Amino acid sequence: MSLPQQLRDESDFDQLPDNIPVTATIADIEEKKGFIVYYRFVIEVKTKGNSKYLIYRRYRQFFTLHQSLELKYSAEAQPGYYTCQLPTLPGKVFMGNKKEIAESRIPELNNYMKRLLCLPTWVLLDDLIRMFFYQTELDSQQVPRALRRLRPPTRKVKTVKPKADLLSAPRAEAVFDFSGSGRLELSLKAGDVIFLLRRVNADWLEGTVRDKTGIFPESFVNIIKPLPESDSDEEGGASKSGNRAQMEDIALNYRDPEGDLIRILDDEDIAFMVQESKQTGSKVKRPVNQFPWELLVTHAKDLTVYNTEY
């Protein structure tokens, strides 16, 4: 289970309620028109209890949250025991194309949410954070679009037909309409029953409906009968299970400018590492092919290498 648990004390984390958010990723941006035109971020939230849902937030809501947390937990504003080092929120931008500004903020906001949800458990229980990531009634009434940033990197589709025993076959019911953007994506209508073939990645499934086979986002359906574990793994098959298990035992990290190890979980972390190294710069002249960051491999369960003191 890929949760940011590794940066906290495991016993404290285990005591958190199941509805506590543990990861949040921006799936898309949406334009809203009214008195003014603005963009909001569509965020997929995963909880400790493995449930998923979508929330819709504007940048100013991030800004308000961060200001409130600074007043409550920063050492400068509130000296005392209950303080911690908050992540950096990208600043306000007053001029430019609104869509381009929103797009450019996605990696930084993803990194902000990731680091925010890695704070000590007593911070995660704060109502400020819980309410920000809570799915309101208005959130639940929104109809998501293609969620393009959750699309899998592969588009290979199986040609296997579902099992003849339909009542026992893995299946899901479409909750929203989904228009596939290519011939390999399966278009859905709300109420469709899709027979599941396999899981493509953490966010996309492959299935068949009305004699058509393709892939579709899991966020658009409600699982009636889940796939067996053997079909829930991503592309690779049983022959790679040994290698995959070995890979899960190790963790890749980089050392930040303060000298602390930061665990690399996905491409967003790599992008942030590169951006951070560019901003920090270096007065030391390096060979042309030498990069200004240091990568280290540690055991996945070894939490002692991380600085968790704030």
Side-chain angles (χ1 to χ4, degrees):
M1 181 169 58
S2 59
L3 304 178
Q5 179 178 354
Q6 65 274 3
L7 300 185
R8 309 189 195 94
D9 182 84
E10 289 191 25
S11 60
D12 289 345
F13 183 85
D14 290 339
Q15 295 175 13
L16 289 175
D18 285 344
N19 63 354
I20 285 289
V22 291
T23 65
T25 305
I26 295 175
D28 211 341
I29 60 172
E30 288 188 358
E31 182 183 30
K32 299 296 290 183
K33 295 181 179 180
F35 183 71
I36 61 170
V37 176
Y38 64 90
Y39 284 85
R40 63 181 184 177
F41 300 94
V42 185
I43 304 168
E44 183 185 64
V45 179
K46 298 180 183 179
T47 67
K48 177 174 174 280
N50 290 326
S51 64
K52 294 182 185 180
Y53 54 82
L54 297 175
I55 61 175
Y56 299 76
R57 300 291 183 266
R58 295 179 63 177
Y59 169 79
R60 71 180 186 183
Q61 292 173 280
F62 279 93
F63 190 81
T64 301
L65 169 68
H66 189 72
Q67 281 189 317
S68 301
L69 291 175
E70 281 189 324
L71 290 174
K72 196 168 186 178
Y73 293 116
S74 68
E76 296 79 10
Q78 189 75 24
Y81 178 75
Y82 291 105
T83 62
C84 64
Q85 183 64 47
L86 296 171
T88 302
L89 180 72
K92 290 184 176 180
V93 180
F94 297 98
M95 296 183 65
N97 181 284
K98 292 184 178 180
K99 183 176 182 180
E100 292 177 356
I101 293 172
E103 289 279 4
S104 67
R105 278 177 169 158
I106 290 176
E108 292 175 308
L109 289 179
N110 273 337
N111 186 72
Y112 176 79
M113 291 188 291
K114 177 175 293 185
R115 289 173 179 257
L116 190 66
L117 295 175
C118 284
L119 291 177
T121 52
W122 47 268
V123 181
L124 295 185
L125 291 171
D126 192 295
D127 286 343
L128 290 170
I129 293 179
R130 298 187 70 173
M131 291 306 298
F132 179 84
F133 290 105
Y134 176 74
Q135 187 186 43
T136 65
E137 184 178 358
L138 184 60
D139 288 330
S140 65
Q141 292 172 352
Q142 304 299 306
V143 178
R145 300 179 185 174
L147 304 182
R148 55 198 168 91
R149 293 185 175 272
L150 298 182
R151 275 183 156 76
T154 176
R155 289 291 191 271
K156 185 178 179 181
V157 175
K158 282 185 176 181
T159 57
V160 180
K161 293 185 178 181
K163 299 175 183 178
D165 186 359
L166 300 182
L167 293 178
S168 63
R171 59 196 184 278
E173 181 180 0
V175 182
F176 307 104
D177 292 352
F178 172 69
S179 297
S181 62
R183 65 180 184 85
L184 297 182
E185 294 183 2
L186 189 63
S187 294
L188 306 174
K189 293 289 185 182
D192 281 350
V193 174
I194 309 102
F195 293 96
L196 306 178
L197 298 176
R198 66 173 180 126
R199 177 175 292 280
V200 180
N201 67 8
D203 304 295
W204 282 66
L205 297 166
E206 183 184 355
T208 182
V209 64
R210 296 188 299 274
D211 295 326
K212 293 183 179 179
T213 299
I215 61 176
F216 57 92
E218 185 178 1
S219 300
F220 281 68
V221 303
N222 176 45
I223 303 297
I224 299 173
K225 182 176 177 59
L227 286 160
E229 290 188 9
S230 60
D231 291 332
S232 296
D233 295 330
E234 297 181 18
E235 198 80 35
S239 62
K240 295 185 180 179
S241 59
N243 291 336
R244 185 159 53 245
Q246 292 177 6
M247 289 298 293
E248 290 174 354
D249 291 337
I250 66 172
L252 182 63
N253 314 269
Y254 77 92
R255 196 177 298 280
D256 69 6
E258 288 75 35
D260 294 329
L261 287 188
I262 305 296
R263 182 170 290 193
I264 298 175
L265 297 176
D266 55 30
D267 291 344
E268 297 288 354
D269 289 334
I270 296 175
F272 183 78
M273 175 186 72
V274 175
Q275 179 184 0
E276 195 174 57
S277 66
K278 289 179 179 179
Q279 292 175 346
T280 304
S282 177
K283 297 181 180 179
V284 180
K285 292 186 177 180
R286 305 173 185 270
V288 175
N289 295 326
Q290 184 174 342
F291 297 101
W293 54 74
E294 180 184 0
L295 296 178
L296 299 98
V297 175
T298 61
H299 195 280
K301 295 184 179 180
D302 183 9
L303 310 183
T304 62
V305 298
Y306 301 105
N307 177 17
T308 57
E309 297 181 2
Y310 297 94

